[in-house]
Amino acid sequence: MQPRNLLACAITAALTLPVLAADKDGETLDTIFIKTQRGYSADATETNKEYSAFAATVGTKIPATQREIPQSISIVTNQQIKDRNVDTLDQLARKTPGLRVLSNDDGRSSIYARGYEYDEYNVNGLPAQMQSINGTLPNLVAFDRVEVMRGPSGLFDSSGEMGGIVNLVRKRPGEEFDASAIAGYGTEKQYKLGGDVSSKLNADGSLRGRVLVETTGKSPKPAKQNNHHETAYAALDWDINPDTTAGVGYLYQQRHITPDNGLPAYKNGKLLPLPQKTFTGAKWNHFEMQSHDVFADLDHYFANGGYGKIGLRYSDRDAKSNYAFAGSALNDQLQVTPTGLGTNIKQNALAFDASYSQPFDWSGMRSEYVVGADYNHFKTKNEQGRARALGGEIDYRSLGSLPHTNVLGNARSGAKGFARTLNEQTQDEAGVYGKIVVRPLENLSLIGGGRVSHYRLQSGDGKSKEKRNGTPLTGYAGVVWDFSKTDSLYASYSSLYRPQTEVDKNERLLKPRQGDQIEIGHKGSYLDDRLNTRISLYRLQDKNAAASIAGDNAHYTALGKRVMQGVELEASGALTDQWSIHAGYSYLSPKIKRAATTRDDGIFLLMPRHSANLWTTYDIGDATIGGGVNAMSGIKSSQGVRGGGYATFDLMAAYRITPQLKLQVNVDNLFDRKYYTRVGSTNTFNIPGAERSMMATLRYDFK
């Protein structure tokens, strides 16, 4: 017997020992029947038109139904992505219940949940840190679905954020030939071109391959310069035998963007009236990014019903920028002092995970456990050049005429008025984890788990480095009560311990972040599991989060204790065979219990107390009509800049011209609502919402 089989059997025997006892007559009980894990497979959503998915994989190593996971889970299916015609994660997040986007450029916006930014995005459960400002968030074309978990997940991923984890599930090759091509064009010179081919590569279909490419672009007002994104993806799956499958994949992305930091405001915080057609940046504003991701995984089903999985992910990213924007508030003559920023960022990450899952019988009820180990490595080099003033005061409408300036190049050479900073960070973490689900009653699940990690990190300016290591323990507990065939009540506790690589003014590493969440709620699954609903109440608290110091781009301070609490409602799936919906509402109440600086509440003020999203479609023969609304209450920045609440409406219509050819038209912001989607300081990050736009796409399926 192989060592792995032997270990699996030993663990299973230990956990099931209490039920393998003799009855009162001394007779041995019947052999326990162990159900195979194949019943937990999470099918690809691109194979159907559903708005709901039966199983999720985020926050768990065993695919589980949403009712079985005692935390808030949203699954955005492939059909939703197609119907909404979204290409990037921030486009999708703006239309997803409970998520908040601090808009920057398309593909460079920050995504938040429950007041905390997502800075780590898993691909099939394997993490890699990604910062939105670096433009490294992947486009959606290579992924089957997006799984969003809210709240910390220190059990399987101790390096995650308090807000939760976004898990992107890769598209995989199919056994039958399938190919498609897509072309689209719209207002603001929007375009989309792409192709996707999947097929078996041998006679029995045990070897399968897939290749897809896509390019998208847009010239958003007022920059009127083309932002474009390219994606190439390839995947290969091999069924080594009926029980074992190996897979590899490669994802390449590049972005070329004209950075737009938004409009300045007056010194008293008053915003410019909308619409504003002026681009408050230089003609030479430019950002570019290239990324490479390599994936490998191996799955095996054991004869005893166990399931083992090994996964590997390597990421390499390179981003550069050089741009100018308003560096001061508007004076009475509508003048600002231009400032400049140049960056050169290099990152690489390696993630490895091995897990084993085993169902077993406990007191006549089916239960299961998961054990595993992982290793994560992350290294980044961030070099920045800044110019506080690129000349004197000029009319904000004249920033486009600024002469070209190599901001980072001047900072490197020590030119007067330019400053350079360099930060290098390395983090290594290895951990072991375990989770067990027992069912003392048929309708009651008790969940417990823990993780032990050891980390090492260092951070510095290339000349000197601060180092720190530690071995934290994080815990997890939950309970699910199925009080009917369609309804469940749940409660959970999760914790997070996260080392930080930022340094304070004394060049010492900040203390690790610590936090936890308590969540209770109700989940429902109706209409043959085609409609999922949830009501969630939560309370998060954390301390020691790193926050930038005003006027200092190299050092940070640790924030005091913060508490986030709120309520979320969500429904997704099918109301009838023709009618699909994804809707939700979120209420958020932030509190700063112990402030470290007067600007502690800066980000939390930008989180609306109320937000709501609705998207729905209805099929009429060969046609589909759909629409939605995205709304949020007003916000205010720490500098007193206020943004009013708003609601925007979207529309979609599609018609299948032939069995292979489909035409789809999407209109965003149908009524051309003028609003600020984000407010910041009096000089920058006051960003108007996108104007009305329309795009038509043709999709042809080769079958």
Side-chain angles (χ1 to χ4, degrees):
M1 180 177 291
Q2 296 295 318
R4 192 175 186 87
N5 297 60
L6 184 62
L7 175 63
C9 292
I11 298 175
T12 303
L15 290 174
T16 58
L17 185 61
V19 299
L20 293 177
D23 64 13
K24 63 181 182 180
D25 297 322
E27 297 177 356
T28 303
L29 296 177
D30 294 337
T31 302
I32 295 172
F33 173 73
I34 301 176
K35 184 179 178 179
T36 176
Q37 289 286 64
R38 296 181 190 269
Y40 289 87
S41 61
D43 296 331
T45 66
E46 64 176 332
T47 60
N48 57 55
K49 296 180 60 178
E50 298 293 335
Y51 268 34
S52 65
F54 177 75
T57 58
V58 65
T60 176
K61 297 299 177 179
I62 309 173
T65 68
Q66 295 191 50
R67 287 176 60 189
E68 292 177 310
I69 304 173
Q71 277 186 260
S72 299
I73 303 291
S74 297
I75 302 176
V76 183
T77 64
N78 195 257
Q79 189 63 43
Q80 291 190 55
I81 294 171
K82 290 178 180 178
D83 288 348
R84 298 185 185 193
N85 191 38
V86 290
D87 301 309
T88 64
L89 269 169
D90 43 346
Q91 290 173 0
L92 180 64
R94 291 186 184 96
K95 304 177 180 184
T96 301
L99 300 186
R100 164 68 166 140
V101 177
L102 293 188
S103 296
N104 200 332
D105 308 302
D106 190 21
R108 294 181 68 219
S109 301
S110 301
I111 303 172
Y112 288 74
R114 299 179 175 179
Y116 295 90
E117 182 179 4
Y118 289 107
D119 66 349
E120 182 177 291
Y121 294 82
N122 290 6
V123 176
N124 285 55
L126 295 171
Q129 293 187 23
M130 300 181 186
Q131 289 76 31
S132 61
I133 196 65
N134 300 334
T136 54
L137 304 188
N139 278 14
L140 299 174
V141 64
F143 302 101
D144 172 73
R145 63 187 181 275
V146 180
E147 302 176 338
V148 180
M149 186 180 74
R150 300 168 183 83
S153 178
L155 178 59
F156 295 126
D157 189 3
S158 64
S159 59
E161 222 342 315
M162 285 289 293
I165 292 175
V166 174
N167 183 47
L168 301 150
V169 181
R170 294 195 290 124
K171 291 180 177 177
R172 309 300 287 252
E175 294 185 5
E176 302 297 328
F177 174 81
D178 192 8
S180 63
I182 190 170
Y185 190 77
T187 57
E188 298 185 331
K189 298 181 180 179
Q190 294 182 80
Y191 69 87
K192 178 185 295 185
L193 290 171
D196 184 0
V197 181
S198 176
S199 178
K200 62 181 181 181
L201 302 179
N202 60 1
D204 62 1
S206 61
L207 186 65
R208 304 173 296 281
R210 185 168 188 169
V211 176
L212 65 83
V213 294
E214 185 178 85
T215 178
T216 63
K218 186 178 183 180
S219 301
K221 298 176 182 178
K224 297 181 180 180
Q225 298 186 49
N226 182 253
N227 295 342
H228 56 95
H229 317 268
E230 283 74 41
T231 301
Y233 171 70
L236 186 70
D237 286 351
W238 176 35
D239 295 333
I240 301 174
N241 57 52
D243 298 317
T244 309
T245 299
V248 294
Y250 169 73
L251 176 65
Y252 169 80
Q253 292 196 140
Q254 68 171 5
R255 302 190 191 279
H256 291 269
I257 295 172
T258 300
D260 182 3
N261 274 26
L263 296 166
Y266 294 96
K267 293 180 180 179
N268 61 2
K270 183 181 179 181
L271 292 165
L272 287 166
L274 297 176
Q276 288 286 329
K277 305 295 185 181
T278 302
F279 175 53
T280 51
K283 291 182 179 179
W284 41 268
N285 277 19
H286 185 68
F287 169 90
E288 61 181 83
M289 185 280 303
Q290 290 186 335
S291 68
H292 307 267
D293 286 85
V294 179
F295 316 96
D297 50 50
L298 179 68
D299 300 348
H300 180 72
Y301 293 92
F302 293 88
N304 62 359
Y307 172 67
K309 183 173 183 176
I310 300 173
L312 179 72
R313 176 186 178 187
Y314 173 78
S315 305
D316 188 290
R317 313 185 191 282
D318 191 348
K320 301 177 181 177
S321 67
N322 188 54
Y323 58 100
F325 53 96
S328 66
L330 289 164
N331 62 21
D332 295 337
Q333 288 76 44
L334 297 181
Q335 294 176 321
V336 296
T337 300
T339 190
L341 176 65
T343 62
N344 187 359
I345 301 169
K346 298 182 181 295
Q347 298 176 333
N348 62 72
L350 176 67
F352 172 83
D353 183 273
S355 65
Y356 178 80
S357 310
Q358 176 71 62
F360 64 95
D361 194 317
W362 187 74
S363 298
M365 300 296 172
R366 183 180 172 276
S367 303
E368 61 254 346
Y369 67 84
V370 180
V371 293
D374 59 17
Y375 169 77
N376 297 303
H377 167 84
F378 179 68
K379 184 177 182 181
T380 182
K381 180 179 179 182
N382 189 338
E383 185 182 17
Q384 290 190 354
R386 287 184 176 267
R388 289 299 178 187
L390 292 174
E393 293 183 332
I394 64 172
D395 191 295
Y396 82 97
R397 293 161 292 192
S398 302
L399 265 71
S401 63
L402 287 171
H404 182 272
T405 303
N406 185 340
V407 180
L408 182 56
N410 278 278
R412 286 170 172 169
S413 65
K416 185 178 180 180
F418 294 82
R420 174 181 175 269
T421 59
L422 174 65
N423 183 256
E424 297 179 350
Q425 302 174 2
T426 303
Q427 181 173 326
D428 293 274
E429 182 177 10
V432 293
Y433 55 81
K435 184 185 80 169
I436 187 168
V437 180
V438 296
R439 297 177 174 87
L441 302 173
E442 184 178 1
N443 59 349
L444 182 65
S445 299
L446 305 178
I447 306 163
R451 174 187 176 89
V452 178
S453 305
H454 180 74
Y455 71 87
R456 296 181 302 169
L457 59 86
Q458 56 184 23
S459 178
D461 59 5
K463 298 179 182 179
S464 61
K465 293 183 179 180
E466 283 288 315
K467 299 180 180 180
R468 174 171 289 164
N469 62 77
T471 308
L473 171 66
T474 54
Y476 182 88
V479 59
V480 178
W481 175 40
D482 301 323
F483 64 89
S484 76
K485 293 183 179 180
T486 57
D487 300 89
S488 303
L489 295 176
Y490 74 90
S492 65
Y493 169 84
S494 52
S495 61
L496 177 140
Y497 184 100
R498 181 175 182 176
Q500 302 186 104
T501 54
E502 293 84 359
V503 296
D504 60 19
K505 286 186 174 182
N506 298 316
E507 301 296 335
R508 297 185 63 85
L509 287 167
L510 297 180
K511 293 181 179 179
R513 288 182 64 187
Q514 293 179 269
D516 56 40
Q517 174 184 265
I518 297 174
E519 180 175 331
I520 61 174
H522 168 275
K523 292 186 180 183
S525 182
Y526 311 104
L527 304 177
D528 295 326
D529 297 324
R530 296 182 64 197
L531 178 67
N532 292 292
T533 67
R534 75 175 169 90
I535 302 173
S536 306
L537 291 83
Y538 62 88
R539 178 183 172 91
L540 296 97
Q541 58 180 5
D542 78 323
K543 60 181 181 179
N544 300 331
S548 58
I549 300 173
D552 187 344
N553 300 304
H555 301 101
Y556 295 79
T557 185
L559 296 183
K561 188 176 181 179
R562 305 177 296 181
V563 175
M564 306 293 290
Q565 53 193 10
V567 180
E568 295 172 344
L569 293 82
E570 186 177 14
S572 63
L575 296 174
T576 69
D577 289 341
Q578 295 79 34
W579 188 9
S580 297
I581 188 173
H582 191 179
Y585 164 79
S586 174
Y587 171 78
L588 178 64
S589 175
K591 294 182 180 179
I592 309 295
K593 285 206 165 184
R594 187 172 66 252
T597 72
T598 58
R599 302 180 68 242
D600 257 15
D601 59 353
I603 291 295
F604 294 106
L605 290 173
L606 299 178
M607 301 295 121
R609 285 188 174 259
H610 306 274
S611 63
N613 303 86
L614 166 67
W615 177 260
T616 184
T617 61
Y618 194 87
D619 296 329
I620 308 172
D622 292 328
T624 301
I625 57 173
V629 59
N630 308 290
M632 57 176 266
S633 58
I635 52 177
K636 181 184 71 171
S637 75
S638 60
Q639 294 195 19
V641 183
R642 295 179 179 270
Y646 63 87
T648 62
F649 295 82
D650 302 329
L651 187 66
M652 183 273 283
Y655 181 73
R656 188 162 294 282
I657 302 171
T658 72
Q660 291 78 37
L661 183 63
K662 181 180 180 181
L663 171 66
Q664 180 172 315
V665 178
N666 288 80
V667 183
D668 289 344
N669 194 3
L670 176 66
F671 302 111
D672 203 20
R673 174 67 185 268
K674 309 301 183 188
Y675 64 99
Y676 279 92
T677 184
R678 174 182 183 179
V679 294
S681 65
T682 53
N683 69 296
T684 190
F685 284 131
N686 304 302
I687 298 178
E691 299 182 354
R692 178 175 54 225
S693 65
M694 182 176 68
M695 188 171 186
T697 57
L698 280 171
R699 178 186 176 94
Y700 191 88
D701 295 304
F702 302 86
K703 293 187 178 180

